[in-house]
Amino acid sequence: MKIVVAMKQVLDPRGFTVNRKAEKIFVNREEWITNPADLCALEAALALKDKLGAEVVVLSGGPARAGDALRDAWARGADRAIHLSDKAFSTADGCVAARILAKAIDKVGAVDLVVCGDRALDTGAGEVGPRLAEALGWPQVLGALDVSVQDGHAHAVKPDGAGYAELEVGLPALVTLAAGANQPRYPHGGRIMESYRQYQPEAWTAPDLGLSEDELKPLVDQRGQSFPPERQRGTLLDSPEELVRLLKRNRVI
Amino acid sequence: MDFTFAPEYVALRKMFREFAEEEVRPLAKTIDREHRVPHETLKKGAKIGLLGVPFPTKYGGMGAGETGYCIMMEEFGRVCTSTITNIGAHIGIGAMAIYLDGTEAQKNKYLTPLASGEKIAAFALTEPNAGSDAAAIRTRAVREGDSYFLDGSKIYITNGPIADIVSVFAVTDPSLGARGGVTAFIVETNWEGFKVGTLENKMGIRGSSTSELIFDNLRVPQENILGQTGLGFITAMKTLDLGRVSLGAGCLGGAQAALEAAMQWAKARNQFGASIAAKQSIQWMVADIACEIEALRSLVYRTAWMADSGQPFSREAAMCKLYGSEVASRTINKALQIHGSLGYSRDHPIERAWRDARISEIFEGTNEIQRTVIASELFKEIGVRVRS
């Protein structure tokens, strides 16, 4: 079985503060982490590898720093890491990103299952997964908490109303995983050392994937950004009695 | 001159921090109260190589050298000193002695299971009458045919009750003293004649197990001599040099965590209508703490680099231990002061950090001994021998 994991880096949210009043984002410490949902997708792929045996191939776009995320994935147990690295990729929107990934998955060849996060922590758009499944012409399950494979089918568990639903799709298929779906394993320290000292992720460019300039033109252009209104600070109360008094005064009870 | 960490060390630090925050911090209070580092935590760490950080991969280690090991000690030192004491005794001195002076066969037999965390190591040098004065060792090793028989006891041995393999230092020739008369042995704790004595009831690092070890006519085969007969003291000194660098790194982590906690509290605490972070008295304490930490950081990682690049680093190692332990005690004390009464509460981590920091000024060679080592090396440069 061959599993592809698509991932990207996001800015560590612990390193910046959002000032809604000034409509500004202050980056105190620029640190990049693997998108948490993508890391859950990687864990799901590695768990399948442990159970059934599989080749796990990780794909990521982004500038040179994406190499850190790829090496991290390799250190956690992926077999192959490929950096989709081309200046022309830098303007990609969700649609173009899906197009690039679809071509790369074609090039990897004989892929049975693609997993990725259901949404990125930064844009929160959640569109690359479904667009990628469309581009590949494969069935998809979005926002799964668990995925298993049996008899040429993927079984995915996802929240459904107040409970859960188990969905079955024929392979090849695409499954996106929700952040928090599982507890990603730690990379082995020795593999971390090796990932920098001996290992080099592969790099594929637009010509490698046979992508023309036209195919890489984004469909969306961003005109500006706005911030949601600043939230009002709550009041700290000292005792339940005070709460009751306030509720009475405001005629809530 | 390049003071940046190679990217593999940056990635390694990230992993260490994540493990320390997720797996150790939530347990730190319990570790202190219940006097033990959970076996499951060590096992979980062993799975990702934490118990063999500095050793080469061919012995099952992480291959990260002294630098990588210091990074781990710093990151774990931020959250739990008991845990780094256990790991430090295991890697830094217990297994390190075997790595430095063991034969290839000894390394394959003993270092490999230690580096993978399958077995736990300890280092047994200190005795009731021999601590800083290692020449006063009384534990005797008497040769009979192709075996040695050990008799005597060791005290304050970290990991004593949990160790599987112990590097033991014993007198093979009383007429020669420390230089020539002491030999190191690799001892398996399941051998007949090995006993764990009384456990210490300590002020700090309460989660690390410290005990007396007793050898009663303990037979050690000749092939378990570590290094050369009579040169055990040199093995001990070489091992302790490396241990002292990482000890400084652990202190660095403790001091850094205390600074961060004090700053968070200073930001949150309001007095006289403003956050106390706005008070100059607090700012000066924070600035002083930060300066000392920065100086220590430079010293520790430069010394680790010297060790990894094969340069002599004995004097700097003594400085790491001496300065590191005093910086930790001083800065954690100031950080506690910033916390006010809150910092004096048994429920606050800074109270534990304050108790835990104190031991570093004492163990692995007291700070007085470190000063002697540093001064004697300095005077040697101008041709004066000051060591007694």
Side-chain angles (χ1 to χ4, degrees):
Chain A
M1 188 167 53
K2 203 183 272 187
I3 308 172
V4 161
V5 184
M7 52 169 51
K8 79 166 202 173
Q9 283 181 309
V10 293
L11 207 51
D12 186 345
R14 289 164 295 193
F16 61 81
T17 37
V18 178
N19 188 326
R20 299 192 196 195
K21 214 197 282 176
E23 301 217 329
K24 266 188 183 143
I25 295 169
F26 293 95
V27 179
N28 309 319
R29 191 167 45 83
E30 190 184 316
E31 251 188 73
W32 295 85
I33 57 170
T34 303
N35 180 45
D38 295 348
L39 218 45
C40 290
L42 173 66
E43 177 55 39
L46 294 175
L48 283 173
K49 177 185 167 176
D50 289 346
K51 219 162 91 189
L52 309 166
E55 187 191 357
V56 175
V57 183
V58 181
L59 302 177
S60 179
R65 60 175 156 73
D68 293 328
L70 288 166
R71 287 187 159 94
D72 174 75
W74 187 83
R76 285 177 207 257
D79 300 282
R80 235 177 123 186
I82 303 164
H83 188 187
L84 308 173
S85 168
D86 197 307
K87 267 213 180 96
F89 296 164
S90 65
T91 53
D93 55 15
C95 178
V96 173
R99 200 173 280 160
I100 298 166
L101 286 167
K103 286 277 191 186
I105 289 162
D106 263 356
K107 191 169 152 73
V108 169
V111 174
D112 300 288
L113 178 65
V114 173
V115 287
C116 61
D118 68 338
R119 64 192 61 243
L121 202 58
D122 49 7
T123 63
E127 58 176 302
V128 173
R131 281 183 186 277
L132 176 55
E134 275 306 305
L136 293 164
W138 294 359
Q140 53 180 289
V141 180
L142 305 180
L145 297 175
D146 189 29
V147 55
S148 56
V149 168
Q150 220 176 1
D151 309 324
H153 287 79
H155 297 254
V157 176
K158 61 178 280 183
D160 181 34
Y164 300 93
E166 186 179 323
L167 305 178
E168 183 187 291
V169 283
L171 296 178
L174 178 141
V175 177
T176 71
L177 280 108
N182 51 40
Q183 179 89 44
R185 67 193 63 191
Y186 295 99
H188 188 283
R191 289 272 289 189
I192 294 178
M193 296 301 289
E194 224 180 299
S195 75
Y196 283 92
R197 291 189 173 172
Q198 276 115 36
Y199 180 73
Q200 180 67 44
E202 297 158 62
W204 289 356
T205 60
D208 290 337
L209 298 177
L211 282 161
S212 69
E213 215 172 290
D214 268 358
E215 287 171 291
L216 294 171
K217 271 207 187 101
L219 275 64
V220 180
D221 90 285
Q222 187 183 319
R223 303 265 168 93
Q225 54 182 14
S226 67
F227 287 66
E230 201 172 5
R231 267 197 297 193
Q232 289 262 299
R233 244 176 200 244
T235 316
L236 268 177
L237 304 179
D238 291 327
S239 65
E241 290 77 20
E242 208 180 328
L243 174 66
V244 171
R245 205 167 50 240
L246 272 172
L247 290 174
K248 277 189 179 154
R249 197 167 70 201
N250 290 293
R251 297 178 194 283
V252 180
I253 53 173
Chain B
M1 219 182 278
D2 183 358
F3 284 101
T4 53
F5 283 101
E8 56 268 36
Y9 288 125
V10 176
L12 210 52
R13 184 185 290 278
K14 245 187 189 162
M15 181 271 273
F16 289 147
R17 176 159 310 183
E18 205 182 313
F19 189 92
E21 290 293 336
E22 303 281 324
E23 312 290 337
V24 185
R25 188 188 288 282
L27 300 174
K29 192 170 168 180
T30 317
I31 288 173
D32 180 59
R33 298 274 161 96
E34 293 179 4
H35 313 161
R36 60 181 276 275
V37 177
H39 184 63
E40 307 77 62
T41 308
L42 290 176
K43 237 170 89 180
K44 218 170 176 179
K47 244 175 81 182
I48 51 169
L50 296 188
L51 296 185
V53 180
F55 308 122
T57 46
K58 69 169 171 172
Y59 303 118
M62 205 184 262
E66 186 72 5
T67 305
Y69 177 43
C70 281
I71 294 173
M72 179 181 69
M73 292 295 271
E74 182 191 345
E75 289 302 325
F76 280 55
R78 291 167 59 93
V79 301
C80 181
T81 316
S82 288
T83 304
I84 60 169
T85 307
N86 270 20
I87 297 179
H90 166 75
I91 295 179
I93 47 181
M96 187 62 80
I98 299 172
Y99 172 59
L100 289 178
D101 276 348
T103 61
E104 203 53 31
Q106 287 171 338
K107 286 182 197 172
N108 288 330
K109 184 171 177 193
Y110 292 112
L111 183 59
T112 304
L114 290 174
S116 66
E118 201 184 302
K119 300 237 161 97
I120 296 293
F123 179 88
L125 176 67
T126 301
E127 294 184 7
N129 293 309
S132 296
D133 179 9
I137 290 177
R138 296 270 167 82
T139 297
R140 279 282 279 143
V142 179
R143 187 171 179 169
E144 263 177 53
D146 56 1
S147 297
Y148 281 83
F149 286 85
L150 263 62
D151 273 291
S153 67
K154 300 282 178 182
I155 54 163
Y156 304 136
I157 306 305
T158 306
N159 290 353
I162 60 168
D164 305 290
I165 294 159
V166 187
S167 308
V168 178
F169 297 83
V171 175
T172 39
D173 187 345
S175 65
L176 290 174
R179 284 157 216 278
V182 174
T183 303
F185 296 90
I186 304 172
V187 170
E188 296 181 30
T189 58
N190 57 7
W191 286 347
E192 212 183 310
F194 182 94
K195 262 190 293 189
V196 175
T198 45
L199 265 72
E200 291 300 326
N201 184 13
K202 307 184 296 294
M203 164 179 146
I205 53 162
R206 293 180 64 82
S208 80
S209 45
T210 314
S211 75
E212 183 186 16
L213 297 182
I214 300 159
F215 318 115
D216 179 14
N217 205 30
L218 174 82
R219 191 184 83 85
V220 183
Q222 194 178 349
E223 68 257 25
N224 274 37
I225 287 182
L226 183 55
Q228 290 177 49
T229 311
L231 297 186
F233 192 68
I234 308 223
T235 300
M237 291 303 113
K238 276 199 295 196
T239 306
L240 287 171
D241 274 350
L242 283 164
R244 282 167 189 158
V245 187
S246 56
L247 198 156
C251 293
L252 172 62
Q256 178 68 37
L259 171 65
E260 288 169 17
M263 285 173 61
Q264 284 302 330
W265 175 248
K267 178 177 138 190
R269 171 75 167 166
N270 275 286
Q271 286 290 275
F272 306 105
S275 143
I276 62 167
K279 308 255 176 283
Q280 199 177 47
S281 55
I282 303 294
Q283 291 167 9
W284 284 21
M285 279 199 261
V286 164
D288 288 344
I289 294 172
C291 285
E292 292 215 277
I293 288 175
E294 221 35 62
L296 177 60
R297 179 170 288 123
S298 299
L299 175 64
V300 164
Y301 287 107
R302 178 169 166 271
T303 311
W305 165 76
M306 291 168 83
D308 282 340
S309 54
Q311 301 172 59
F313 64 96
S314 197
R315 184 200 310 173
E316 287 75 10
M319 290 175 176
C320 285
K321 194 276 174 185
L322 165 67
Y323 188 62
S325 60
E326 293 187 359
V327 164
S329 286
R330 251 193 323 263
T331 57
I332 292 169
N333 195 41
K334 274 188 190 145
L336 192 153
Q337 186 69 20
I338 293 173
H339 279 80
S341 296
L342 181 75
Y344 198 65
S345 162
R346 283 302 305 269
D347 289 325
H348 201 283
I350 198 104
E351 177 268 348
R352 187 180 68 241
W354 190 87
R355 279 186 289 114
D356 284 350
R358 190 63 181 84
I359 185 62
S360 297
E361 295 180 51
I362 302 164
F363 68 3
E364 288 206 43
T366 62
N367 283 10
E368 290 66 37
I369 287 292
Q370 305 310 319
R371 287 188 164 87
T372 308
V373 169
I374 295 164
S376 76
E377 287 229 5
L378 285 170
F379 275 113
K380 207 163 76 186
E381 285 177 1
I382 58 163
V384 181
R385 296 196 70 86
V386 294
R387 215 159 173 190
S388 54

